[in-house]
Amino acid sequence: DRSLISMSMLSGFYVLYLTYLALSSLQLKYDVHVMRGGLRFCHSTDIGSMLVFKAYSAIPFLNELRVITDWTVTETSMNLFMWLKLEDAHHSLYRTRLDMEGRALTEPASARPMFEKVYMGVALLLLLLGLLVGPIIFFSALNTFMLVPSVVKSATMSVDVKVEATYGHRALNLYTAVQDYIENHNESSAQDFQKRLLDSEIPISLQDIRFPFASDELWEMSASRQQMIAELINPFLHPDVTVKLRLSYQFHRNSSLPVDGFKEVVVDNSSR
């Protein structure tokens, strides 16, 4: 009483099975069988083999050294780059097999747990936002919470006379000294100073740095050089000469780099 459709389906499956049997017989005839190549610990997906594979993949250049060694001692028609692609495909298939077996342990169409969303989704988003926006916020002028006062620990100052002429220039050091003392003002004084001179509300550190009246170094210069400098700065003898006073300073702070600068003033003929 079976219908013609059921009989034709059964006949189709029978023909398909005979075809599979014939192809399998041809494989056995020509010795075409499945070979398990590649890494030995990639043949299994147990926890030990998986951990060994992950450690092997994490060690730099270990896989490349093994693959190049295998290709060198193996008689093959593939070149080195084909062999590398074959090994890479084998590793990708093993990783996919691990993923699929792990996926098979979960219920079909089950939603991912919330803790996975938190430690992978939320944490990764915060990390990326921190890498993108963090440096901008840290070095921004709006960051007033992580500012560390970079106060001056020591300072030096020097005063030089520079004589510039068309044929060259001469320089003479008049004063070089280290600070006498450094006084740190309180926050109220710093805020008052900031309100008078600055529009910014960034906290500042106000210091009073004083230098000695006399130079720390002896003024050692020969009499002939003194006479030459005196004649050069004389406006009646050399009216075309430009005389400048250069004040240089350097502040050593509790940071890595010192702050230095200078100020030059041109001396007019009446002051010379």
Side-chain angles (χ1 to χ4, degrees):
D1 297 336
R2 294 180 179 177
S3 62
L4 183 61
I5 297 177
S6 61
M7 291 297 295
S8 59
M9 292 178 61
L10 184 61
S11 300
F13 278 115
Y14 179 73
V15 172
L16 183 62
Y17 184 78
L18 288 180
T19 305
Y20 166 74
L21 182 62
L23 294 177
S24 300
S25 302
L26 290 175
Q27 286 182 341
L28 294 176
K29 177 182 178 181
Y30 293 105
D31 197 21
V32 180
H33 57 279
V34 177
M35 298 181 62
R36 305 181 69 183
L39 293 173
R40 185 175 299 274
F41 48 79
C42 290
H43 299 165
S44 175
T45 57
D46 57 73
I47 185 66
S49 300
M50 181 186 67
L51 293 178
V52 172
F53 176 77
K54 289 185 178 297
Y56 168 82
S57 302
I59 299 176
F61 303 110
L62 180 60
N63 179 58
E64 288 76 9
L65 291 173
R66 185 197 66 82
V67 172
I68 294 175
T69 303
D70 288 349
W71 179 82
T72 304
V73 300
T74 303
E75 184 178 355
T76 177
S77 61
M78 293 187 296
N79 58 29
L80 177 60
F81 299 102
M82 292 180 180
W83 194 278
L84 288 170
K85 291 178 181 178
L86 178 63
E87 289 288 341
D88 184 66
H90 183 265
H91 291 175
S92 299
L93 290 174
Y94 181 72
R95 293 188 181 93
T96 304
R97 181 182 175 187
L98 291 175
D99 293 339
M100 292 299 101
E101 290 188 1
R103 184 70 178 178
L105 299 177
T106 61
E107 294 293 332
S110 60
R112 304 307 301 172
M114 183 56 65
F115 73 91
E116 183 178 345
K117 299 284 188 178
V118 173
Y119 82 84
M120 292 192 67
V122 177
L124 187 59
L125 285 175
L126 293 177
L127 178 62
L128 293 176
L129 288 176
L131 292 176
L132 292 174
V133 186
I136 301 176
I137 297 177
F138 182 78
F139 293 103
S140 173
L142 300 176
N143 182 16
T144 59
F145 300 100
M146 302 181 66
L147 292 178
V148 178
S150 183
V151 295
V152 177
K153 296 298 184 180
S154 64
T156 57
M157 186 177 68
S158 62
V159 179
D160 301 285
V161 175
K162 294 180 62 179
V163 180
E164 299 178 354
T166 56
Y167 50 83
H169 70 275
R170 296 288 189 272
L172 175 64
N173 179 257
L174 300 178
Y175 177 90
T176 300
V178 182
Q179 86 285 344
D180 261 349
Y181 72 95
I182 300 177
E183 180 183 0
N184 296 320
H185 291 268
N186 53 29
E187 293 184 2
S188 60
S189 300
Q191 291 176 359
D192 294 339
F193 176 81
Q194 185 179 18
K195 290 178 181 179
R196 291 197 306 266
L197 300 181
L198 303 175
D199 295 331
S200 176
E201 297 182 357
I202 300 176
I204 63 173
S205 298
L206 186 62
Q207 294 178 285
D208 186 11
I209 304 175
R210 297 188 181 183
F211 292 89
F213 179 78
S215 176
D216 291 346
E217 299 181 1
L218 294 176
W219 195 37
E220 298 179 353
M221 187 172 56
S222 62
S224 60
R225 185 174 177 81
Q226 293 180 21
Q227 182 65 27
M228 180 188 65
I229 295 295
E231 292 178 356
L232 287 175
I233 64 177
N234 192 333
F236 301 103
L237 297 178
H238 299 277
D240 57 338
V241 170
T242 302
V243 180
K244 295 181 179 180
L245 285 177
R246 179 187 177 96
L247 186 145
S248 305
Y249 59 87
Q250 188 175 63
F251 297 145
H252 297 273
R253 304 177 298 175
N254 56 356
S255 58
S256 57
L257 297 177
V259 177
D260 52 5
F262 67 92
K263 178 69 174 179
E264 285 187 350
V265 179
V266 178
V267 182
D268 54 10
N269 292 336
S270 60
S271 301
R272 291 163 56 183

